[in-house]
Amino acid sequence: MAAVTSKLLLLIAALALTCCTPTTEGLKRSITRMQFYMHDVVGGPNPTAVRVAGRLSNYTGTDPIAALFGSVYMMDNPLTATPDPKSALMGRAQGIYSMASQRDEFSLLMTLTYGFTGGAYNGSTFSVVGRNPVMSEEREMPVLGGTGMFRLARGFCIARTHSVDQMDAIIGYNVTLIHY
């Protein structure tokens, strides 16, 4: 009798999970494509990205990529409509990026949330987590979620460096989001 009772309880639990698990079924799927520019300022009196951790200063090698390996930056970068820093502010990219390469190529591991503060996307966010080989002309990174208008987002972004001045960069983003 106890075996039958436990099997019955297991069946009831499985049915409860099946009918109570949220799905996207019945929700209207939307696709949003957008373009913006991120301004990553590491130098000067008002940086938008600051180093918060990194390799000890006892590195004796000559490889500049290896010298930066392990450096971690916290960022709060403005997002604008055009490459001009004075163009319309669309929002901010906030998160962490770290130097992930020891040799051969300069790449970052990025965990960023792009939050929008005006216009059609006001109050909405999406998050990107992935590898960014910054010296490549075009880099593709995954979108792994979002809030507001971009709830349950998935998709990808294509990043292209627009300009670089020492360590400061303006990066253009073309983003495709699937959301509900």
Side-chain angles (χ1 to χ4, degrees), residues 22-78:
T23 68
T24 57
E25 192 174 310
L27 297 177
K28 183 179 181 303
R29 184 174 90 161
S30 298
I31 297 176
T32 299
R33 292 180 179 86
M34 68 176 78
Q35 180 179 7
F36 54 83
Y37 292 84
M38 183 177 78
H39 300 264
D40 189 48
V41 180
V42 178
N46 298 307
T48 62
V50 295
R51 186 173 163 181
V52 295
R55 182 180 284 240
L56 297 174
S57 61
N58 63 356
Y59 176 73
T60 59
T62 58
D63 183 350
I65 292 173
L68 289 172
F69 175 68
S71 296
V72 178
Y73 289 78
M74 181 67 66
M75 61 177 272
D76 183 10
N77 291 344

Side-chain angles (χ1 to χ4, degrees), residues 44-178:
N46 298 307
T48 62
V50 295
R51 186 173 163 181
V52 295
R55 182 180 284 240
L56 297 174
S57 61
N58 63 356
Y59 176 73
T60 59
T62 58
D63 183 350
I65 292 173
L68 289 172
F69 175 68
S71 296
V72 178
Y73 289 78
M74 181 67 66
M75 61 177 272
D76 183 10
N77 291 344
L79 304 175
T80 60
T82 73
D84 181 354
K86 294 179 180 21
S87 67
L89 183 68
M90 296 175 66
R92 304 198 73 80
Q94 298 173 324
I96 297 173
Y97 62 88
S98 58
M99 308 306 178
S101 299
Q102 291 192 62
R103 62 185 67 78
D104 301 329
E105 75 173 347
F106 183 52
S107 68
L108 307 175
L109 174 60
M110 300 176 61
T111 303
L112 306 177
T113 296
Y114 298 80
F116 296 90
T117 57
Y121 312 129
N122 186 31
S124 298
T125 70
F126 66 85
S127 295
V128 171
V129 177
R131 184 175 169 275
N132 180 354
V134 296
M135 300 311 285
S136 296
E137 184 177 337
E138 185 176 281
R139 291 95 64 195
E140 183 176 337
M141 292 165 282
V143 172
L144 300 178
T147 65
M149 181 178 167
F150 305 131
R151 184 171 292 134
L152 298 174
R154 64 184 191 274
F156 63 95
C157 61
I158 303 292
R160 291 181 187 89
T161 302
H162 179 269
S163 62
V164 176
D165 180 10
Q166 296 181 23
M167 289 289 286
D168 299 347
I170 299 173
I171 300 99
Y173 279 87
N174 285 296
V175 181
T176 301
L177 300 171
I178 300 169

Side-chain angles (χ1 to χ4, degrees), residues 1-13:
M1 185 69 172
V4 171
T5 303
S6 63
K7 287 181 183 178
L8 184 59
L9 286 174
L10 185 60
L11 177 63
I12 291 171

